[in-house]
Amino acid sequence: MRLLRSLQSLAMTATTMKYPASIQNLIDHFSKLPTVGPKTAERYVFYLLKAHPEWLQAFAQAMAELKEKTTVCQTCFTIAETNPCSICSDSKRNRSIICLVADTRDLLAIEATKQYHGLYHVIGGVINTIENIKPESLNIKPLLNRLKQPQIKEVILAFNPDFEGETTSLYIVKLLKPYKIKITRLAKGLPMGADLEYADEITLGNALKYRNEM
Amino acid sequence: MRLLRSLQSLAMTATTMKYPASIQNLIDHFSKLPTVGPKTAERYVFYLLKAHPEWLQAFAQAMAELKEKTTVCQTCFTIAETNPCSICSDSKRNRSIICLVADTRDLLAIEATKQYHGLYHVIGGVINTIENIKPESLNIKPLLNRLKQPQIKEVILAFNPDFEGETTSLYIVKLLKPYKIKITRLAKGLPMGADLEYADEITLGNALKYRNEM
C-alpha cells in the first residue's frame, strides 16, 4: 500500500512540473509534432532558450511564412512555390507520362534520381482503412480528368511496396482500365547493398520473379 | 566498381532532394535541434504543412516570444517570467537554505516533489572537461556572494549522481569549506520500483551504506 501510494505520487510528479506559461505554451506546440513527447519537446525548448536570439527569430519567421510562401499546384497537387509548379510548367518535360505518388516527398525522391522526365500526380496519401483514409479523400478525381488529355500514354504507379501502397495501386489500376493507357509500376527486387542471406522472403521472391536478362 | 558507383550515386540522392526554399529553410532550422536529423526535420515540416494555419501561427508566435517573455532571475539564475523569480520573491520560503541545481529543469523537478521550501541557486551546468565546461563558466561566483548573507545555514547539492555531477559537487564542497555552512547532498539509494536482482553494484552499495533506521 505504501509502495502503491509512492508510485502514484511519482506518476503525479511527471505531470505537475510548472514551467513559466510562455515556455509551457511552446512545449505544448512541439509536443504535437509526430513522434515528439513532452520530454523531447522540453529538450527542444531549453535548447531554443540558449540559442542565438536572431536565429530563433529567423526560425519563428520561417514557420510563420511556411504556408504563405508555399502553395499546392492545381495540376499535379504537389507542394510548390508557384501554381502551376515548376515541373508542370516546364515545356521540356515529357507530357505523355504521369507518375503517381502518395506525397510531395516521394515526388522529390524520384526527381533526385534524375532518371524521370515526365509529369507527376500527387494523390495525397494512400488508402488506409485503419487511419480512415478513403479513396474519396485522395486526389483521384482530378487525375481521371487529366487522363482525358489524348497525349497521355503511360501512368507509373510509384507507391511504397507495402500493404497500403499495394491496395492503392490495385484500386487505381481498376479505375484506369477503361482509359486504355499503359499502366506500369516501380520494379520490385533487391535494394542496393542488400545481403541475400538476410533478405526477407518476399523481397527475394520478387527478385527472382522479376529477374532481368543481362 | 559498378556497385561502388551506384552506392555513390545513392549517397548523392539523399543530399540532392530539392525542396522549395521556404520549406528547406524551415527544415534547416529544425535540423539544428538536439537529436533532430534532416529526415526528422522533414517529417516535422510536412506535418506543419498539413496543420491548421492558426495553430501554426500560434506556434511561430510562441517561438518568437520565447525570449521576450522569459528572463533569468538575477538572484538564483533560474529561467523565469520575472526578476527576481517567484521563488526568490516569495516571503514564505525558508531563506536559511539554498539548493544548488545544474539547470532550471532540475529546479522544477524538485519543486514538483513539494518536499522542499527553501531557495535555489541554478549554476547553469556541471563541470565537464570533454565539453569544455569549466567552473568559471558556471554561476558559482554569485553563489559565493549570496553565501555572505548570515541567515544562510545550509546548502544542498542536488546534481545528477554521475561523474560530472560528483566532480561538480566535490569542487563546490571545497569552495564552501571556509563558509562554515552545513553542506548536504541528495540521498543515494534504490529508486522506487527498483529490483534488487537487477540493481547495479554502485546503487546497491549506496543503498547499504546509507541504510536508514526504521
Side-chain angles (χ1 to χ4, degrees):
Chain A
M1 194 59 206
R2 238 175 92 197
L3 175 73
L4 189 68
R5 237 178 297 140
S6 302
L7 287 175
Q8 280 171 337
S9 86
L10 263 181
M12 287 285 291
T13 305
T15 56
T16 53
M17 274 222 206
K18 271 186 190 160
Y19 288 105
S22 49
I23 293 181
Q24 190 59 52
N25 182 17
L26 192 54
I27 290 174
D28 292 344
H29 275 97
F30 270 114
S31 301
K32 290 281 188 302
L33 294 177
T35 74
V36 176
K39 279 283 153 197
T40 304
E42 257 174 58
R43 200 195 295 170
Y44 292 170
V45 173
F46 276 83
Y47 175 86
L48 295 180
L49 278 165
K50 288 181 187 170
H52 195 285
E54 277 176 31
W55 181 84
L56 182 62
Q57 288 307 319
F59 191 169
Q61 200 182 336
M63 192 179 282
E65 293 176 349
L66 180 64
K67 293 218 183 184
E68 293 154 31
K69 291 210 174 171
T70 56
T71 185
V72 172
C73 171
Q74 289 306 306
T75 307
C76 74
F77 297 93
T78 190
I79 295 164
E81 286 181 312
T82 54
N83 171 31
C85 71
S86 58
I87 295 173
C88 285
S89 56
D90 182 351
S91 61
K92 284 181 210 141
R93 308 285 303 208
N94 179 350
R95 296 184 171 267
S96 70
I97 179 164
I98 294 182
C99 179
L100 304 193
V101 289
D103 63 34
T104 299
R105 276 180 287 184
D106 295 340
L107 180 158
L108 289 162
I110 293 174
E111 277 299 282
T113 67
K114 297 194 164 84
Q115 301 289 311
Y116 179 70
H117 307 287
L119 302 177
Y120 291 93
H121 192 87
V122 177
I123 68 164
V126 283
I127 298 167
N128 187 326
T129 43
I130 295 168
E131 292 182 20
N132 202 26
I133 303 175
K134 291 174 186 166
E136 305 88 78
S137 56
L138 302 174
N139 305 316
I140 292 178
K141 258 197 179 163
L143 169 69
L144 300 181
N145 279 331
R146 282 182 85 182
L147 295 183
K148 287 174 189 160
Q149 299 167 48
Q151 75 263 37
I152 295 164
K153 306 293 180 212
E154 182 179 350
V155 165
I156 304 175
L157 304 174
F159 303 113
N160 288 338
D162 55 17
F163 181 75
E164 289 76 21
E166 298 291 297
T167 307
T168 309
S169 290
L170 289 175
Y171 178 84
I172 292 177
V173 164
K174 222 167 142 187
L175 276 182
L176 299 193
K177 272 278 163 67
Y179 288 78
K180 313 267 183 206
I181 292 172
K182 186 176 168 188
I183 305 172
T184 57
R185 66 169 178 187
L186 295 185
K188 291 181 179 182
L190 291 164
M192 192 52 66
D195 193 329
L196 283 195
E197 200 179 345
Y198 297 111
D200 67 283
E201 291 154 36
I202 299 175
T203 299
L204 197 51
N206 280 330
L208 268 170
K209 191 170 163 192
Y210 303 112
R211 65 192 179 277
N212 318 112
E213 222 170 294
M214 293 188 74
Chain B
M1 194 60 207
R2 241 173 91 198
L3 175 73
L4 189 68
R5 237 177 296 138
S6 301
L7 288 174
Q8 278 171 338
S9 85
L10 264 182
M12 285 287 290
T13 305
T15 55
T16 52
M17 274 223 206
K18 272 186 192 162
Y19 288 106
S22 49
I23 293 181
Q24 189 59 53
N25 182 16
L26 191 55
I27 291 175
D28 293 344
H29 275 98
F30 271 114
S31 302
K32 290 282 189 300
L33 296 177
T35 73
V36 177
K39 279 284 153 198
T40 305
E42 258 174 57
R43 200 196 295 169
Y44 291 170
V45 173
F46 277 82
Y47 176 86
L48 295 180
L49 278 165
K50 287 181 188 171
H52 195 287
E54 276 176 32
W55 181 84
L56 183 62
Q57 288 307 319
F59 192 170
Q61 200 183 337
M63 193 180 282
E65 293 175 350
L66 180 64
K67 293 218 181 183
E68 292 154 32
K69 290 209 175 171
T70 56
T71 185
V72 172
C73 172
Q74 289 306 306
T75 308
C76 73
F77 296 93
T78 191
I79 296 163
E81 286 181 314
T82 54
N83 172 31
C85 71
S86 58
I87 294 174
C88 285
S89 56
D90 181 352
S91 62
K92 283 182 211 139
R93 307 286 302 209
N94 179 349
R95 296 184 172 270
S96 71
I97 179 165
I98 294 181
C99 178
L100 304 194
V101 289
D103 62 34
T104 299
R105 276 180 286 184
D106 294 340
L107 180 158
L108 290 162
I110 293 174
E111 277 299 283
T113 68
K114 297 195 163 83
Q115 300 290 312
Y116 178 70
H117 307 287
L119 301 177
Y120 290 94
H121 191 88
V122 177
I123 67 162
V126 283
I127 298 167
N128 187 325
T129 43
I130 294 168
E131 293 183 18
N132 203 25
I133 304 176
K134 292 175 186 166
E136 304 89 78
S137 56
L138 302 173
N139 304 316
I140 291 178
K141 257 196 180 163
L143 170 68
L144 300 182
N145 279 331
R146 282 183 85 181
L147 295 184
K148 286 176 190 160
Q149 300 168 49
Q151 75 264 36
I152 295 164
K153 306 291 180 215
E154 182 179 350
V155 164
I156 304 175
L157 304 174
F159 303 113
N160 288 338
D162 55 17
F163 181 75
E164 289 76 20
E166 297 291 296
T167 306
T168 309
S169 290
L170 290 175
Y171 178 84
I172 291 176
V173 164
K174 222 168 142 186
L175 276 183
L176 298 194
K177 272 278 162 70
Y179 288 79
K180 313 265 179 209
I181 292 171
K182 187 176 168 188
I183 305 171
T184 58
R185 65 170 178 186
L186 295 185
K188 291 181 179 182
L190 291 163
M192 192 53 66
D195 193 330
L196 282 196
E197 200 180 342
Y198 297 110
D200 67 281
E201 291 154 34
I202 298 175
T203 299
L204 195 51
N206 280 330
L208 269 169
K209 191 172 163 190
Y210 302 112
R211 64 192 180 277
N212 318 111
E213 222 169 295
M214 293 188 74

